[in-house]
Amino acid sequence: MLHLLPLSTILLLLRTIVANPISTPQSQPLPLLIWHGLGDNYAAEGLHTVGDLANATNPGTFVYYIRLDESPDSDKTATFFGNLTEQVAQVCDDLANHPILSTAPGVNALGFSQGGQFLRGFVERCNFPPVKNLITFGSQHNGIARYQICGATDWLCKAYIGLLKANTWGAWVQSHLVPAQYFRSTNDTTGEPTEEYLESSNFLADINNERKLKNTTYAKNLASLDKFVMYLFDEDTTVIPKESGWFAHVNGSSGEVTDLKDRDIYKEDWIGLKKLDEKGGLEFKTTEGGHMQLDDEMLMDVFKTYFSPEKASWAGPTDKVQEQVEL
Ligand SMILES: *[C@@H]1O[C@H](CO)[C@@H](O)[C@H](O)[C@H]1NC(C)=O
Ligand SMILES: *[C@@H]1O[C@H](CO)[C@@H](O)[C@H](O)[C@H]1NC(C)=O
Ligand SMILES: *[C@@H]1O[C@H](CO)[C@@H](O)[C@H](O)[C@H]1NC(C)=O
Ligand SMILES: *[C@@H]1O[C@H](CO)[C@@H](O)[C@H](O)[C@H]1NC(C)=O
Ligand SMILES: *[C@@H]1O[C@H](CO)[C@@H](O)[C@H](O)[C@H]1NC(C)=O
């Protein structure tokens, strides 16, 4: 194309580039948020391996590991115990006040298992800094229909599941036990969610806008993403049903799957998924293996495809500070 420009324009362009070498846009990748799953903690080695891989794929990526407590043990405890309304609000607060994240024009986000629907909750409720690309792995976007099965001698797990099962819809359980807040019960005959769920679910029924009164901010925020990519593990036996990772509904009696696009949440666009889909922003992906069986090559491919600085970038925190000083 350049040879079609008049010589004077080319000279002007050259002069501009030479005179302002610093003003050429630096393409630092957007910061990356990672929200871990149940029983994990933000300082875990495995999680940091993933962050390092993101930085190795797109050098210069600032990675923030979402936490509910600076103590890794307490952060892990918060994956089991807590009120998700308060947990998401705390994360909203932390991110909005973070010295680097709050200056970025946008961030990318990676959610593992329950961390995926919690990040979606962050996008719907707060979305500052705004998320550009949200990737979830093995998440429970349409909730769980059954609690996880414990090992034969895992008494702690059994006690915990016992508590969950005893009174899932009670106020104490809904405000203290995390998985109960994304448990979803349906009537197999009608396929409709139960009254108890609609009335008492402290998290999922709200962020999925399943109640009569819809929050339009949720839909607006989710539709503002560039991409929302949902990965399903093809041999996932931990998440019941695994198709929840794609927002699908599964008939508990027949096992029949109703895809997102055949459900009211999409057709009536309760949370902006249809709008996002219509602009090409919604992707359904499968990866091999059981729950959270990630391999480096697949992850690098994901990071290259969705988080590369060619898609969206910023000048980085230091330049931002410099800019402010110059002003
Ligand atoms: C990320 O990558 C950059 C450049 O490759 C490197 O200098 C930096 O130390 C890495 N950051 C982390 C947290 O690993
Ligand atoms: C909808 O959600 C936004 C963001 O969380 C909140 O500020 C607003 O109060 C909610 N609106 C209603 C009607 O609940
Ligand atoms: C969870 O916390 C919010 C905010 O503090 C509160 O309004 C709500 O009642 C709590 N949920 C339950 C089920 O107690
Ligand atoms: C499911 O819905 C059908 C039809 O409305 C109703 O007759 C039945 O009692 C419901 N089952 C339960 C367990 O609520
Ligand atoms: C779910 O499966 C059962 C058993 O096959 C069937 O009777 C019922 O009609 C199905 N529910 C829906 C909503 O299709």
Side-chain angles (χ1 to χ4, degrees):
M1 274 324 253
L2 207 62
H3 66 279
L4 296 175
L5 294 171
L7 186 60
S8 58
T9 311
I10 293 173
L11 286 177
L12 188 68
L13 274 174
L14 280 176
R15 212 173 300 143
T16 314
I17 292 164
V18 170
N20 302 297
I22 297 158
S23 77
T24 51
Q26 280 178 296
S27 55
Q28 199 155 320
L30 293 181
L32 174 63
L33 310 175
I34 300 182
W35 200 328
H36 60 81
L38 186 72
D40 209 352
N41 74 77
Y42 82 95
E45 208 182 307
L47 201 68
H48 284 250
T49 308
V50 173
D52 291 346
L53 204 61
N55 189 25
T57 311
N58 300 305
T61 303
F62 174 77
V63 182
Y64 180 81
Y65 302 89
I66 290 180
R67 70 212 62 176
L68 286 149
D69 201 292
E70 292 301 323
S71 144
D73 275 347
S74 304
D75 183 49
K76 176 179 167 177
T77 302
T79 69
F80 293 100
F81 299 100
N83 175 333
L84 282 173
T85 311
E86 290 168 1
Q87 292 194 349
V88 172
Q90 187 188 323
V91 169
C92 289
D93 216 47
D94 287 350
L95 301 188
N97 292 305
H98 189 281
I100 292 172
L101 299 173
S102 62
T103 63
V107 294
N108 290 316
L110 183 61
F112 292 135
S113 198
Q114 68 178 16
Q117 63 262 29
F118 301 166
L119 268 173
R120 180 163 64 81
F122 165 78
V123 170
E124 293 181 23
R125 289 190 183 153
C126 306
N127 210 28
F128 184 81
V131 173
K132 296 293 172 200
N133 300 289
L134 171 62
I135 319 282
T136 65
F137 278 95
S139 293
Q140 297 91 43
H141 291 300
N142 195 47
I144 48 172
R146 244 184 288 158
Y147 293 113
Q148 182 190 328
I149 297 148
C150 304
T153 56
D154 192 345
W155 307 114
L156 204 62
C157 171
K158 285 188 174 176
Y160 183 74
I161 301 291
L163 269 179
L164 281 170
K165 280 185 175 166
N167 194 9
T168 283
W169 304 119
W172 188 86
V173 171
Q174 283 296 320
S175 56
H176 289 89
L177 304 187
V178 168
Q181 297 164 64
Y182 55 82
F183 190 88
R184 187 173 187 271
S185 59
T186 49
N187 179 325
D188 283 343
T189 310
T190 62
E192 294 298 317
T194 62
E195 280 306 316
E196 293 165 303
Y197 164 78
L198 290 175
E199 264 166 35
S200 310
S201 167
N202 187 46
F203 180 71
L204 196 74
D206 181 73
I207 59 154
N208 283 4
N209 256 342
E210 292 185 88
R211 300 195 172 107
K212 263 202 189 73
L213 201 65
K214 314 289 183 206
N215 189 320
T216 53
T217 304
Y218 291 2
K220 196 182 97 227
N221 286 353
L222 204 56
S224 78
L225 292 171
D226 287 346
K227 291 271 186 202
F228 178 17
V229 184
M230 298 176 281
Y231 275 87
L232 205 74
F233 295 96
D234 64 357
E235 289 165 42
D236 198 331
T237 53
T238 305
V239 177
I240 306 165
K242 68 171 191 279
E243 290 81 0
S244 184
W246 281 353
F247 272 105
H249 169 70
V250 178
N251 181 327
S253 311
S254 66
E256 193 191 341
V257 179
T258 309
D259 290 333
L260 170 66
K261 292 183 189 183
D262 297 317
R263 304 185 58 213
D264 289 345
I265 188 175
Y266 179 91
K267 290 190 283 187
E268 295 174 11
D269 210 14
W270 296 345
I271 55 171
L273 291 171
K274 188 177 181 196
K275 193 164 174 215
L276 184 60
D277 191 28
E278 282 165 357
K279 67 170 188 181
L282 192 63
E283 296 187 15
F284 302 82
K285 302 271 190 182
T286 310
T287 183
E288 281 173 20
H291 192 61
M292 291 311 297
Q293 210 169 305
L294 301 161
D295 81 82
D296 289 2
E297 215 171 299
M298 182 270 295
L299 282 176
M300 284 176 92
D301 196 47
V302 168
F303 299 154
K304 217 175 291 165
T305 307
Y306 300 105
F307 300 159
S308 87
E310 283 88 58
K311 301 255 159 67
S313 63
W314 69 317
T318 45
D319 298 84
K320 201 80 187 175
V321 171
Q322 224 163 35
E323 214 171 86
Q324 277 161 1
V325 169
E326 279 167 15
L327 288 173

